[in-house]
Amino acid sequence: MLAARSSPALDLVASPLGKRVTLFLSGDTFLHRFLLSAAALILTAAAAPASRPAGTVPASASADDPYLWLEEVEGPRALAQVRDWNRATEDLLTQDPKFADYQSRARAILDDEQQIATPDQVMGDLVLNLWRDAKNPRGLWRASPLAAYRAGKPAWRTVIDVDALGKAEGKSWVWHGADCLAPDYRRCLVSLSPGGTDADVVREFDLERGRFVDDGFVLPEAKSNVAWVDADTLLVVTDYGPNSLTASGYGRIAKLWKRGTPLAAARTVFEGETADVSVSPVAVQDGTRRWTFVTRGKTFWTSEQSLLTATGQLVRLPLPEDAEFQTVLGGRLIAKLQSPLDSAGKRFAEGSLIAYDLDAIDAGRSTTPELVMAPSARQAIEEVVSSDTILWVKALDDVSGKLFAVRRGADERWTTSAAALPANSSIRLQSTAGKSDMAFAIAEGMLTPPTLYAVGSSGAPTRVQSLPAKFDSARFSVEQRFATSKDGTRIPYFLVRRKGAAGAMPALIHAYGGFRAAQTPGYLTGQPYRAGPLGMFWVEEGNAYVLANIRGGGEYGPEWHRSVLRENRQKSFDDLHAVAEDLIRTGVSTKGRIGISGRSNGGVLVGAALTQRPDLYSAVISGSPLHDMKRYSHMLAGASWVGEYGDPDVPADWAFLSRYSPYQNVKPGVKYPAVFFYSSTKDDRVHPGHARKMAARLGEYGNRFYFHEYLEGGHSVGADHAEDAKRAALLMTYLKRELGGPK
């Protein structure tokens, strides 16, 4: 799961306004197939590539990397290999007597109509939600009056039936959201992806009439970024043709596009550099004023922010380059600091929220920052959104969620009050209702099903909807523990197992460790991420499930992430090893019975762990992974992550990358645990070649592996619940085969 500042993310894409959408990554491999051993019924990934004339190499291969041909995403040879591996994996794992039961239970949970209809957007007096179930696998975009929704009795009307639209238009549409122009919210920019890739088609939609606008704004398929300036003007960053993209594959040119004119006639207002990550437009409605900005992403973690004035000129904001734009409230730009800031004789601590006077900036006057909120040493501010007069801040306190309402008083001081949400929970800030000054938030725990609350200006929550339990939580216990890493750092982790469990048992550790993305404990029907109810299946059968909060995430603020950047990445791997060893030390598990799981950036993590400690781990789930750190920056969006990992084309950077790059560190003569790779051919963020090549290299050296690549789904892997349910069943049967059951 890599996270991105604006558009180029891995797993967790955080918008500049604090709203989040979940997306993901993928993989493929080499020439021969798995063989089923009739005697042992094990997956034996044929080690030798197909025979070929001596002295020749396959197309797109080199002496250093004979599997470059697997980077041909839809090359016939590569896809033939993928199909062979998929077939071998399914033929083996579907033989498990409980496979069909796992799959059907997972599908029933995912399709269950007793799910929270999340308030994805609140627009005036309407709540908008994307609803997916068995009848509507791609989703219904629907609306309900806010008052009925808040009362727990929504009156839904379908706005767009994504499945029906795809069928009518002959497209495999996947919903990627809608941006509706405030304050009347009549006109929307709807983003639809063919097959789930990051590239979207953007089409103007009339929400009042319920149809696409004839001769409205339309952007062809591309990784576009677009924002409403006014009802007749868009600020557009897209693929304008040759030399219009960054090296990371994202747009670098922002243009103002007027209604009724061709896109080619749009006026350029900003051009970034080819070496930048991306350029992104941002627009925020603040009362009756609409503020429009342009973000130049210089690296993944640094940017320049500019205000687009009423005259069409850009004015640089006084933000530090590593600060994160959050939102606008009452004419104040809100930003989060990633390093300390000294200004006007004051020091603002890293992780703090600060505010600048936008009216002063717009008028060309100087302005100094105000302190909005400073987290404590054990806290980290994660999400920030605004309603009309309240700034809603979701924070972590020792990895437990807190929600705060922050206001600016007449005395120009900011005050903070905590909402009375359940303690020791994960909190997800869903959306805000502007005019009502209300926030919607979901609270849940590993054993506590999600409940949606409406939190009013007083901070008192009202329950909107609770989900029924999907399993008997009274049978299990959850506790937070701390392991000690190699350098003495305390690493928190959550442990779930049966109550009163005694003796060592198989344990599955899920971790991420990067891109400031904190891993908070959610209900077991959704853990680990993108594997549906795998966590629930696992603990039900007497095993231990662990969520590890290793460094690289955002659990404890900027330093928790910064401490493992670039040459310090090994610390995150050490943290994972420390959690595994703590399970052994405390008798929860033993060597030979510990599995690890990671996806996206977590693929780097589990790949490095696999090659560094094959003695410690006996199963590895690698989802949509990065594995080839020598070539990652030349594959799809990889160049955007140089700020996180380093640049392999710079010898000094490759010196530290080469020490852990999973693909380059697979050694002949070493017995590695059998990895399960899962991915998507349509992933256009993390290249599917990472998983393919890693599997090929392991197979070449005689190691077993499992492999499953979906043709659709993009970085999110599964395009619908059927695919997600199948993956959960495959992973569960894999874990049982490799780790066994409780003794």
Side-chain angles (χ1 to χ4, degrees), residues 220-237:
E221 182 180 345
K223 292 183 180 180
S224 301
N225 236 320
V226 57
W228 290 102
V229 177
D230 56 44
D232 295 311
T233 312
L234 301 182
L235 187 56
V236 179
V237 178

Side-chain angles (χ1 to χ4, degrees), residues 211-441:
R211 61 182 179 84
F212 289 102
V213 178
D214 295 334
D215 299 321
F217 288 114
V218 176
L219 285 172
E221 182 180 345
K223 292 183 180 180
S224 301
N225 236 320
V226 57
W228 290 102
V229 177
D230 56 44
D232 295 311
T233 312
L234 301 182
L235 187 56
V236 179
V237 178
T238 191
D239 185 348
Y240 292 109
N243 304 315
S244 67
L245 302 180
T246 67
S248 300
Y250 297 95
R252 65 175 187 85
I253 301 173
K255 297 187 178 187
L256 283 172
W257 185 18
K258 293 289 185 180
R259 185 179 298 280
T261 65
L263 181 60
R267 178 173 69 87
T268 298
V269 296
F270 183 79
E271 287 195 35
E273 303 294 330
T274 302
D276 292 342
V277 172
S278 66
V279 170
S280 304
V282 179
V284 184
Q285 190 73 28
D286 178 36
T288 60
R289 179 80 184 262
R290 190 165 184 82
W291 302 93
T292 307
F293 307 88
V294 173
T295 297
R296 176 195 175 195
K298 297 177 67 175
T299 71
F300 201 89
W301 299 118
T302 60
S303 62
E304 294 176 355
Q305 313 278 353
S306 299
L307 171 67
L308 184 67
T309 66
T311 61
Q313 304 302 308
L314 287 177
V315 177
R316 271 286 302 276
L317 299 177
L319 288 176
E321 287 194 352
D322 65 346
E324 291 186 334
F325 181 108
Q326 299 295 313
T327 189
V328 177
L329 178 67
R332 265 35 185 202
L333 179 149
I334 311 298
K336 182 168 68 172
L337 295 176
Q338 293 298 324
S339 56
L341 173 65
D342 293 309
S343 178
K346 297 180 181 178
R347 164 155 281 215
F348 300 89
E350 65 178 36
S352 298
L353 293 179
I354 58 171
Y356 287 93
D357 185 342
L358 276 176
D359 287 314
I361 296 170
D362 193 31
R365 303 192 307 270
S366 62
T367 181
T368 57
E370 305 170 354
L371 178 65
V372 177
M373 179 178 176
S376 70
R378 304 303 293 175
Q379 288 181 337
I381 292 173
E382 272 208 307
E383 298 177 71
V384 180
V385 295
S386 58
S387 53
D388 269 14
T389 67
I390 300 175
L391 195 68
W392 297 94
V393 178
K394 180 267 182 97
L396 295 177
D397 193 331
D398 257 339
V399 203
S400 289
K402 307 285 184 183
L403 181 63
F404 298 95
V406 185
R407 298 172 176 82
R408 190 174 190 268
D411 60 357
E412 300 184 352
R413 292 178 178 273
W414 295 84
T415 59
T416 301
S417 58
L421 291 172
N424 302 316
S425 297
S426 286
I427 306 296
R428 285 184 281 140
L429 186 52
Q430 293 294 124
S431 58
T432 61
K435 292 189 298 182
S436 304
D437 259 344
M438 179 173 57
F440 288 100

